Amino acid sequence: MTSPATPSDPSGPTGAAPTTAIVLGGGALGTSIAAHLARAGVAVTLATSGELCDGASGRSLSWLNSAGDRRPAYHALRVLGIDRYRTLFAADPSRDWLRFPGGVWWTDGEDADQETRSRHEGEVDRGYHSRLLGREDLQAAFPDLDARAAGAAAIHNPGEGWVSLPHLVEHLAAELRERGARILTGLGACEVLVEDGRAVGVRDSSGTEHRADAVVVACGAGTSAVMARAGVQIPDGSPLSMLVTTEPAEAEAPVLNTPRAAVRPNPGGTFCVDHDWYVDRIVEREDGSCTVDEEIVEELLAEASRLFAPGTRLRAAGWAAGRKPIPADGEPVLGTVSALPGCAVAFTHSGATLALIAGETVAHEVVTGRRHPLLAAFSPDRFAA
Ligand SMILES: Cc1cc2nc3c(=O)[nH]c(=O)nc-3n(C[C@H](O)[C@H](O)[C@H](O)COP(=O)(O)OP(=O)(O)OC[C@H]3O[C@@H](n4cnc5c(N)ncnc54)[C@H](O)[C@@H]3O)c2cc1C
């Protein structure tokens, strides 16, 4: 069965610029890649199993950062990711879903002081804006926090920010609609359609085929399974996670990364809160849905409330849990797949920070057929051996 509106000629010679593309996965990465392909003049279809943003992008802390220690190529990509958000911010600084209030990090334990100093020095060496703050400076800079909760020293990264991915996805989806792209939701679990060793489209759960010159798989934590069915191994390491969204609270804060709670502001005066200490207590059912004890939510919000001035009590408005997309080796998997011509992949941790730059560079590879130098270190081909 073939859908009537399907673009018809996917059989152009290998290496020719695609005129049609289908992007599988309606999260931040898929939507961004689709938008960048549409900007390049490609007739795009964005296809997803349920609703847009019903995966990790709908329950992400989405701290925009390149803090801490990582490989130079990954650091460069993340810094460029933040740069693209800066450009988006400058186009309309009134958006309440993309802000740059900076980030604050601290740790605890016996080696906290040493760990903090060495993290700070590493950041300074890489040219990442990093300031070491004592408790008094921290309190003065962020009066709504309770600096007594912090270690003796904290790191302030003034260039960091946060984004609400559901808003970003809606923003990019609106652009897609304006550009005449198709957005297909509710398709169920789709698979890549492979003919003569080439990706030629996608088959949805009803059996309908959606053909295109190029296929991009951006299925978040489902990416490994989709690619495995198409004969390409991309090992998965996606852990469980949970994000709590609070009721509105009278407090202002940067993004906070602390030993027991990570917190970021969210539109409407609310906050989003997560961490990883409770991950073993999240129960995943066979259908992928999760349950979390109410007491874990309360415990997390008690930890988060302690970061704020006395009297501030964060209350849960809701929570969402599921897999956080992370490739098994922890590094991004971005770009075209040599073993499956016509197919590219986008699967990464920190997909909020990378969403715009990954959309731009993966779309560039799809359109030009050339490996983007920024993605050389992140090619899906590294698993082929
Ligand atoms: C709790 C949490 C905290 C995070 N914190 C940060 C952070 O601070 N900073 C940061 O940069 N990043 C962070 N991330 C990571 C970031 O949010 C993700 O990397 C990003 O949202 C992933 O986007 P995606 O489009 O790849 O995947 P998703 O948003 O999961 O979208 C994938 C889509 O594909 C669909 N799909 C899956 N399989 C199929 C199929 N077979 N057929 C059709 N459709 C399919 C899904 O339904 C889903 O809609 C966090 C994530 C979580 C969960």
Side-chain angles (χ1 to χ4, degrees), residues 13-375:
T14 306
T19 57
T20 60
I22 185 157
V23 180
L24 193 57
L29 282 170
T31 313
S32 172
I33 293 164
H36 283 88
L37 286 169
R39 287 175 201 169
V42 178
V44 180
T45 301
L46 176 63
T48 198
S49 55
E51 296 303 315
L52 292 183
C53 219
D54 63 2
S57 303
R59 45 181 167 77
S60 172
L61 191 73
S62 34
W63 165 39
L64 304 177
N65 81 96
S66 187
D69 192 16
R70 53 182 52 80
R71 287 205 298 154
Y74 194 11
H75 178 62
L77 196 64
R78 293 171 71 120
V79 168
L80 290 167
I82 298 170
D83 170 76
R84 297 308 190 268
Y85 278 106
R86 286 269 179 201
T87 306
L88 184 62
F89 176 75
D92 181 359
S94 72
R95 288 186 182 117
D96 68 353
W97 49 267
L98 173 61
R99 314 300 292 174
F100 287 91
V104 170
W105 176 97
W106 70 76
T107 188
D108 58 9
E110 270 179 26
D111 299 329
D113 198 39
Q114 180 53 35
E115 206 184 315
T116 305
R117 274 170 207 288
S118 106
R119 180 178 169 111
H120 166 68
E121 280 160 20
E123 290 179 346
V124 169
D125 288 352
R126 283 189 297 282
Y128 193 65
H129 199 176
S130 179
R131 302 164 65 213
L132 215 45
L133 297 184
R135 278 204 194 97
E136 281 183 16
D137 293 336
L138 181 66
Q139 191 65 73
F142 302 104
D144 289 353
L145 300 185
D146 185 349
R148 291 173 303 176
I155 295 175
H156 177 212
N157 301 114
E160 295 178 347
W162 59 268
V163 63
S164 163
L165 290 178
H167 287 82
L168 176 72
V169 166
E170 189 41 51
H171 173 76
L172 294 171
E175 178 183 341
L176 279 171
R177 290 184 199 102
E178 268 169 34
R179 291 183 183 276
R182 292 194 308 160
I183 299 179
L184 304 178
T185 57
L187 298 184
C190 302
E191 58 185 22
V192 178
L193 198 55
V194 180
E195 286 178 3
D196 300 327
R198 185 178 171 86
V200 296
V202 156
R203 184 185 293 109
D204 71 27
S205 62
S206 74
T208 302
E209 293 177 0
H210 309 268
R211 289 177 172 259
D213 297 342
V215 179
V216 184
V217 176
C219 290
T223 300
S224 295
V226 172
M227 292 307 295
R229 287 201 73 160
V232 177
Q233 299 309 317
I234 298 181
D236 182 33
S238 303
L240 287 168
S241 65
M242 175 191 69
L243 185 86
V244 178
T245 303
T246 72
E247 302 277 2
E250 293 287 323
E252 286 197 14
V255 182
L256 294 167
N257 275 279
T258 76
R260 297 283 294 174
V263 182
R264 72 149 163 96
N266 194 48
T270 63
F271 288 92
C272 287
V273 186
D274 83 339
H275 212 277
D276 56 15
W277 52 260
Y278 46 77
V279 162
D280 294 346
R281 292 155 70 188
I282 301 173
V283 179
E284 188 181 37
R285 299 195 194 94
E286 252 178 43
D287 65 358
S289 63
C290 294
T291 55
V292 175
D293 270 354
E294 207 54 41
E295 69 186 38
I296 299 176
V297 175
E298 286 309 313
E299 213 176 318
L300 178 63
L301 287 192
E303 298 282 2
S305 299
R306 265 181 223 123
L307 307 175
F308 289 87
T312 308
R313 181 73 180 95
L314 298 178
R315 292 180 200 290
W319 58 266
R323 296 267 161 194
K324 181 193 292 201
I326 303 187
D329 65 3
E331 296 278 304
V333 181
L334 299 169
T336 50
V337 182
S338 298
L340 186 59
C343 185
V345 177
F347 172 34
T348 184
H349 187 25
S350 299
T353 305
L354 297 182
L356 299 180
I357 190 69
E360 182 181 320
T361 47
V362 171
H364 178 91
E365 284 202 1
V366 170
V367 169
T368 64
R370 279 184 284 115
R371 174 79 62 214
H372 195 296
L374 280 173
L375 301 188

